[in-house]
Amino acid sequence: RDEDRYYTGWEAWLPELWKVMGLPQMPLSQEAPAPCYRVDVSGTGKPPISDDDIVPPGAAKLTLLHNSLLVPEKYDRDIRHYEFKIEGTPVSYKTGDSLAVWPRNPLDKVEEFCKEMGFDTTQNLRVLPMEGARNWCPQELSVRQVFSHVLDIFGKPNRKF
């Protein structure tokens, strides 16, 4: 089994499959995709939105009540049981429902990352979606908030990266 599950193995195996099937190889594209967002600096200082208000449309901020690991610590996947407080929120739950999580990056690591990259975390930005934009992002927020609340800067890139 590949470390990345099937992704790494699939990418290595796919060209051989195409060859055996007599299909032409897919050309590798070297072109950078067109930008999906326009980002302008709109000043510095207090962020135009509070951290607690950065929640995607249709989502609700919930309080985590319980978090326990369901597999042995050395297991190859992190499988957990979570319990959230939903009373007093617009969230309802029926057996079998799924829950999407909007994670945040640790602020100390974000500050360190931005410092290393030369970003001013106090700069405020205006983010305007353009044609092709698929992901939600607040239209006004700080550089720190982009890296702490919107972008996954510490996750492992997927095969489409």
Side-chain angles (χ1 to χ4, degrees):
R1 186 184 242 191
D2 288 284
E3 178 188 337
D4 296 333
R5 309 287 182 270
Y6 67 89
Y7 297 122
T8 304
W10 173 255
E11 292 297 322
W13 179 72
L14 185 61
E16 186 64 25
L17 172 66
W18 288 47
K19 184 176 167 184
V20 169
M21 294 179 67
L23 298 170
Q25 297 291 317
M26 286 198 50
L28 295 175
S29 174
Q30 299 291 330
E31 294 180 27
C36 295
Y37 301 89
R38 181 176 143 198
V39 180
D40 298 316
V41 175
S42 62
T44 58
K46 182 179 176 192
I49 185 171
S50 77
D51 286 358
D52 287 341
D53 290 335
I54 300 178
V55 180
K61 186 176 178 184
L62 300 177
T63 301
L64 178 66
L65 299 174
H66 183 77
N67 171 4
S68 61
L69 188 61
L70 295 177
V71 294
E73 283 191 36
K74 302 266 185 196
Y75 196 71
D76 71 333
R77 285 186 256 167
D78 188 346
I79 302 172
R80 295 181 172 271
H81 171 79
Y82 297 108
E83 293 178 18
F84 296 92
K85 180 181 177 190
I86 61 173
E87 291 121 15
T89 73
V91 176
S92 64
Y93 176 82
K94 293 183 223 156
T95 302
D97 283 352
S98 296
L99 175 72
V101 177
W102 186 267
R104 295 180 178 180
N105 293 308
L107 290 178
D108 59 330
K109 291 187 182 233
V110 167
E111 292 288 341
E112 182 181 337
F113 171 81
C114 288
K115 182 178 177 183
E116 287 291 320
M117 298 302 293
F119 297 137
D120 179 355
T121 57
T122 66
Q123 278 188 324
N124 294 321
L125 306 173
R126 182 169 292 114
V127 180
L128 302 170
M130 297 168 59
E131 185 177 337
R134 298 180 316 182
N135 299 311
W136 172 84
C137 180
Q139 289 195 348
E140 302 218 4
L141 72 169
S142 71
V143 168
R144 181 188 55 78
Q145 290 171 324
V146 166
F147 290 108
S148 62
H149 291 66
V150 179
L151 298 178
D152 179 7
I153 56 174
F154 301 112
K156 190 173 185 180
N158 64 27
R159 68 184 175 124
K160 292 181 180 180
F161 176 71

